[in-house]
């Protein structure tokens, strides 16, 4: 008999090792968890440090910016003192001459200062400003007041030598104030002679407008008449396409007046293929009154002579008060430094302010025709007298542009229109063929109606009835041979019979609905034909009445 042998395996050592390994694993996990917490804390600290650094950077940049602005402000204050001292040292006499000239002009108006006083002051200023063009002008005015013709002539000659254009304009404006018409025109003609038609400023046009509106008095010797004609000729001869460019420019100007016909011809706009051509031409026809009214107001405006004279006198004050070219560098530096102080040391804002100021003050230089065109086109910033002058000179070009604006759409106005309603098309020349078009539309709709009826499943009720009859016969036979089958066939026959009745009813309802829709569409379509033809007749009358008359002179 076999004996069983027991095997004892000692697992204590393995269990201890497992426990040791588990403990080590737990310690590792605890260390990892601890390190993870430290890493999270470190990340949080790093985020705070980064936030603090950003705040510090922002504060530092703000500090640097404020320091820079404070430094610039302090420097501007110091430099401003220096610049003003240099202006006073180098050009203080210029400022005194300007102020004295204005004072002399005012004194002569009020007769409050002795001639000897004026003479003494002006001669001293002449000595202190040897290069300034306004100084000899001041001496000349003083000599006129003192009736010293010889001194006046010599002073004028010196002023012309220093700056002919400014002297001529200044003396022309001064002579106008004192009603010395002939002398005024001598100076004004000299000023005009210095101007170029291709480089005409708004100020140039201001003086031309004043001359043409009689502010300088009657030009009995016609000293300045020829200059305008000369300038116009220069511009016309400069470009071969000048005339066409002018016409095109005024055509575009008139286009802005085109009347929107929305809602005035609702049926034409919805069912006539040629509506775009109709609306473009009639919209222009309807704009004629507005265009003519606009130019008429400009051309026939009453010129306020007294106001215009005051405006011209103010230009004399502006001309005299203007800084000399030699002063410009220091004056610009003074303006910039003043702007730096104004913006609390912000040099970027100061530069932007100066640039914008210079842009506003810079006069645009274009040709004389361009200046006149701007005067008309601009809604603000132009005197009524300037618009009147510009329209008078540009009338021929405005007429040409207006004529092109009207006639360029005349040829495209249709002789007949094509109506399109629910797929039907018909044409009409004069709108009197309404009955024929409505009859044709009715035939078209009848054809569509018939086609719709034919599309209905008309054989379905008949087919179901036949099926019912066949099943009924088979069911009767089946009742004798196989009663259950016979019953089923009879039930099928009844079902087909009932459905045939329903199909017939549905077909009748569909037929009635189609007939009603046909009648509605026919009535609505015929109404639209009548309305469209009525509008077409009205549109044709507008065009015929307009073309029956001679094309209107919008600048008459």
């Amino acid at each position: 008999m076999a004996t069983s042998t027991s095997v004892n395996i000692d697992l204590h050592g393995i269990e201890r090792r497992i426990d040791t390994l588990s403990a080590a694993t737990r310690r590792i996990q605890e260390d990892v968890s601890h390190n993870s917490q430290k890493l999270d804390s470190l990340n949080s600290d790093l985020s705070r440090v980064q936030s603090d650094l950003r705040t510090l950077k922002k504060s530092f940049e703000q500090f640097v910016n404020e320091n820079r602005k404070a430094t610039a402000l302090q420097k501007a204050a110091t430099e401003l003192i220096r610049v003003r001292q240099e202006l006073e040292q180098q050009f203080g006499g210029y400022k005194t001459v300007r102020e004295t000239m204005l004072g002399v002009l005012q004194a002569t108006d009020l007769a409050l200062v002795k001639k000897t006083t004026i003479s003494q002051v002006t001669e001293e200023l002449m000595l202190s400003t040897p290069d300034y063009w306004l100084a000899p002008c001041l001496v000349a005015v003083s000599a006129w007041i003192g009736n010293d013709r010889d001194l006046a002539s010599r002073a004028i000659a010196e002023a012309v030598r220093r700056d002919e254009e400014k002297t001529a304009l200044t003396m022309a404006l001064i002579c106008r104030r004192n009603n010395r018409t002939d002398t005024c025109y001598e100076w004004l003609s000299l000023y005009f002679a210095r101007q170029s038609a291709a480089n005409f400023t708004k100020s140039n046009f201001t003086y031309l407008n004043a001359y043409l509106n009689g502010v300088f008095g009657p030009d009995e010797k016609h000293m300045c008449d020829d200059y305008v004609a000369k300038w116009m000729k220069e511009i016309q001869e400069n470009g071969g396409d000048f005339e066409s460019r002018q016409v095109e420019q005024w055509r575009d100007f008139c286009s802005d007046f085109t009347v929107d016909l929305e809602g005035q011809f609702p049926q034409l706009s919805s069912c006539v293929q040629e509506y775009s051509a109709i609306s473009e031409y009639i919209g222009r026809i309807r704009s004629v009154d507005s265009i003519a009214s606009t130019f008429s107001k400009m051309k026939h405006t009453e010129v306020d002579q007294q106001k215009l004279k005051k405006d011209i006198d103010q230009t004399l004050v502006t001309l005299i008060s203007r800084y000399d070219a030699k002063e410009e560098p220091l004056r610009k530096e003074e303006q910039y430094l003043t702007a730096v102080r104004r913006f609390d040391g912000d040099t970027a804002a100061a530069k932007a302010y100066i640039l914008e100021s210079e842009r506003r003050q810079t006069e645009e230089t274009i040709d004389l025709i361009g200046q006149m065109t701007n005067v008309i086109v601009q809604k603000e910033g132009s005197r009524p007298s300037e618009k009147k002058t510009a329209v008078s000179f540009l009338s021929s070009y405005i007429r040409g542009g207006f004529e092109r604006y009207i006639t360029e759409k005349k040829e495209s106005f249709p002789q007949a229109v094509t109506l399109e309603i629910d797929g039907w098309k018909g044409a009409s020349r004069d709108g009197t063929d309404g009955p024929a078009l409505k009859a044709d539309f009715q035939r078209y709709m009848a054809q569509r109606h018939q086609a719709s009826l034919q599309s209905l499943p008309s054989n379905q009720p008949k087919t179901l009835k036949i099926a019912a009859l066949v099943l009924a016969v088979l069911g009767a036979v089946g009742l004798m041979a196989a009663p259950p089958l016979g019953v089923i066939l009879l039930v099928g026959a009844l079902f087909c019979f009932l459905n045939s009745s329903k199909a017939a009813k549905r077909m009748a309802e569909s037929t009635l609905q189609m007939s009603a829709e046909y009648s509605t569409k026919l009535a609505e379509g015929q109404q639209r034909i009548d309305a469209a033809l009525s509008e077409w007749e009205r549109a044709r009358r507008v065009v015929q009445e307009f073309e029956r008359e001679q094309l209107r002179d919008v600048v008459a």
Side-chain angles (χ1 to χ4, degrees):
M1 182 175 179
T3 60
S4 60
T5 302
S6 65
V7 179
N8 294 321
I9 300 174
D10 188 4
L11 298 177
H12 292 291
I14 295 173
E15 290 175 350
R16 283 197 299 272
R17 288 188 178 89
I18 291 174
D19 291 340
T20 302
L21 182 61
S22 297
T25 301
R26 284 196 297 273
R27 285 197 298 274
I28 291 172
Q29 289 176 341
E30 290 174 356
D31 291 341
V32 169
S33 176
H34 182 66
N35 289 333
S36 178
Q37 291 176 356
K38 285 186 175 181
L39 185 60
D40 290 340
S41 176
L42 183 61
N43 286 335
S44 177
D45 292 342
L46 183 59
S47 297
R48 285 196 298 272
V49 169
Q50 289 175 339
S51 176
D52 292 341
L53 284 174
R54 285 194 294 270
T55 303
L56 181 61
K57 180 183 177 183
K58 185 177 180 180
S59 300
F60 180 73
E61 288 176 347
Q62 184 176 359
F63 168 76
V64 170
N65 187 44
E66 292 296 330
N67 185 61
R68 186 186 298 114
K69 289 170 67 174
T71 302
L73 186 62
Q74 184 178 5
K75 182 180 178 181
T78 304
E79 289 295 301
L80 193 58
I81 295 173
R82 175 190 61 80
V83 169
R84 286 176 175 171
Q85 286 177 345
E86 288 186 23
L87 280 170
E88 182 61 31
Q89 292 170 2
Q90 298 179 31
F91 303 107
Y94 287 27
K95 180 181 178 183
T96 304
V97 170
R98 289 192 286 267
E99 292 174 348
T100 304
M101 174 65 93
L102 293 175
V104 167
L105 293 176
Q106 185 180 32
T108 53
D109 290 340
L110 301 175
L112 295 177
V113 181
K114 294 180 181 179
K115 296 178 181 180
T116 54
T117 303
I118 294 175
S119 176
Q120 182 180 355
V121 170
T122 56
E123 289 174 5
E124 291 176 354
L125 289 173
M126 179 69 185
L127 296 175
S128 62
T129 53
D131 296 325
Y132 193 26
W133 67 273
L134 189 58
C137 288
L138 178 57
V139 172
V141 171
S142 173
W144 278 352
I145 295 172
N147 293 320
D148 190 341
R149 293 181 178 273
D150 181 58
L151 178 59
S153 298
R154 285 185 282 112
I156 287 296
E158 177 61 19
V160 169
R161 186 189 67 80
R162 295 183 181 184
D163 194 318
E164 183 180 31
E165 183 175 343
K166 289 180 181 177
T167 298
L169 181 57
T170 301
M171 299 311 294
L173 296 175
I174 291 174
C175 289
R176 193 219 69 77
R177 283 169 54 92
N178 292 280
N179 298 316
R180 298 189 178 190
T181 304
D182 290 343
T183 307
C184 170
Y185 276 119
E186 289 177 3
W187 286 113
L188 192 61
S189 64
L190 183 61
Y191 171 73
F192 283 161
R194 298 271 303 177
Q195 308 311 313
S196 167
N199 296 291
F200 223 78
T201 65
K202 196 173 187 306
S203 295
N204 296 148
F205 183 69
T206 296
Y207 299 122
L208 175 60
N209 174 65
Y211 161 70
L212 294 171
N213 282 283
V215 171
F216 295 99
D219 186 8
E220 295 176 351
K221 296 181 180 180
H222 305 286
M223 296 182 186
C224 299
D225 283 349
D226 294 338
Y227 286 109
V228 181
K230 171 178 171 289
W231 291 329
M232 297 289 282
K233 186 177 180 182
E234 284 178 8
I235 297 171
Q236 292 167 355
E237 292 177 350
N238 275 342
D241 60 343
F242 171 78
E243 295 283 346
S244 61
R245 283 189 288 108
Q246 276 295 302
V247 168
E248 187 65 19
Q249 185 168 20
W250 292 112
R251 185 206 71 84
D252 292 343
F253 178 81
C254 292
S255 294
D256 292 338
F257 291 84
T258 303
V259 175
D260 185 359
L261 300 182
E262 184 177 0
Q264 297 187 29
F265 298 97
Q267 288 304 324
L268 286 183
S269 64
S270 65
C271 66
V272 170
Q273 294 179 353
E274 298 82 3
Y275 177 70
S276 177
I278 295 171
S279 65
E280 285 178 350
Y281 190 38
I282 294 181
R284 297 189 179 206
I285 290 174
R286 293 273 174 85
S287 70
V288 172
D289 288 343
S290 180
I291 294 171
S293 175
T294 298
F295 285 118
S296 178
K297 287 178 182 177
M298 293 182 187
K299 187 171 182 179
H300 299 291
T301 187
E302 291 293 329
V303 177
D304 188 341
Q305 286 280 338
Q306 294 304 315
K307 184 178 185 307
L308 196 52
K309 288 178 179 178
K310 288 181 180 178
D311 290 344
I312 291 300
D313 285 343
Q314 185 58 45
T315 65
L316 173 61
V317 174
T318 302
L319 179 62
I320 291 172
S321 303
R322 191 174 297 158
Y323 300 132
D324 192 67
K326 296 176 183 177
E327 300 177 65
E328 283 301 316
L330 284 174
R331 290 294 177 187
K332 287 185 177 180
E333 191 175 355
E334 180 188 28
Q335 290 171 0
Y336 169 70
L337 294 172
T338 303
V340 172
R341 292 184 62 182
R342 175 181 179 180
F343 291 99
D344 295 326
D346 190 338
T347 55
K351 289 176 181 177
Y353 172 78
I354 293 297
L355 288 174
E356 177 61 21
S357 178
E358 289 178 348
R359 186 193 64 78
R360 289 197 305 267
Q361 294 175 7
T362 301
E363 286 191 298
E364 184 182 10
T365 301
I366 55 179
D367 62 58
L368 174 58
I369 299 296
Q371 289 291 355
M372 290 184 177
T373 301
N374 287 346
V375 162
I376 296 174
V377 173
Q378 290 172 353
K379 295 182 179 179
E380 298 179 355
S382 300
R383 299 180 179 89
S385 62
E386 292 177 339
K387 292 182 180 291
K388 180 176 184 177
T389 298
V391 170
S392 298
F393 275 94
L394 300 181
S395 292
S396 61
Y397 306 124
I398 294 173
R399 289 189 187 96
F402 170 72
E403 183 175 352
R404 178 178 294 181
Y405 162 70
I406 289 294
T407 58
E408 69 180 356
K409 295 299 180 180
K410 179 179 179 179
E411 294 300 323
S412 61
F413 187 79
Q415 298 302 310
V417 291
T418 304
L419 285 73
E420 185 172 357
I421 301 173
D422 287 334
W424 169 85
K425 288 186 179 181
S428 174
R429 288 189 59 84
D430 56 8
T432 59
D433 43 7
L437 291 174
K438 288 191 289 184
D440 186 62
F441 178 71
Q442 185 174 10
R443 286 191 293 272
Y444 168 78
M445 292 301 295
Q447 292 173 358
R448 284 186 55 181
H449 181 218
Q450 189 62 35
S452 298
L453 291 176
Q454 291 175 356
S455 67
L456 292 175
S458 58
N459 294 327
Q460 186 180 16
K462 185 177 179 181
T463 302
L464 289 172
K465 285 182 180 179
I466 293 173
L469 180 61
V470 171
L471 290 173
V473 171
L474 293 174
V477 173
L479 285 175
M480 292 182 290
L485 179 61
V487 172
I488 292 172
L489 291 172
L490 289 174
V491 171
L494 179 61
F495 177 79
C496 289
F497 178 76
L498 293 174
N499 276 316
S500 70
S501 299
K502 291 180 179 179
K505 184 178 180 181
R506 284 197 302 271
M507 182 176 174
E509 290 175 350
S510 297
T511 302
L512 289 174
Q513 183 179 357
M514 284 185 178
S515 297
E517 290 177 356
Y518 158 75
S519 299
T520 300
K521 286 186 177 181
L522 177 61
E524 290 177 351
Q526 289 181 331
Q527 289 176 357
R528 291 184 67 188
I529 290 173
D530 285 334
L533 293 180
S534 175
E535 291 177 7
W536 171 230
E537 288 185 68
R538 180 155 55 91
R540 290 180 72 251
R541 281 197 304 272
V542 170
V543 172
Q544 289 171 352
E545 290 173 3
F546 175 75
E547 293 181 349
R548 192 179 299 124
E549 303 292 333
Q550 186 177 358
L551 188 61
R552 187 170 176 180
D553 185 356
V554 293
V555 288

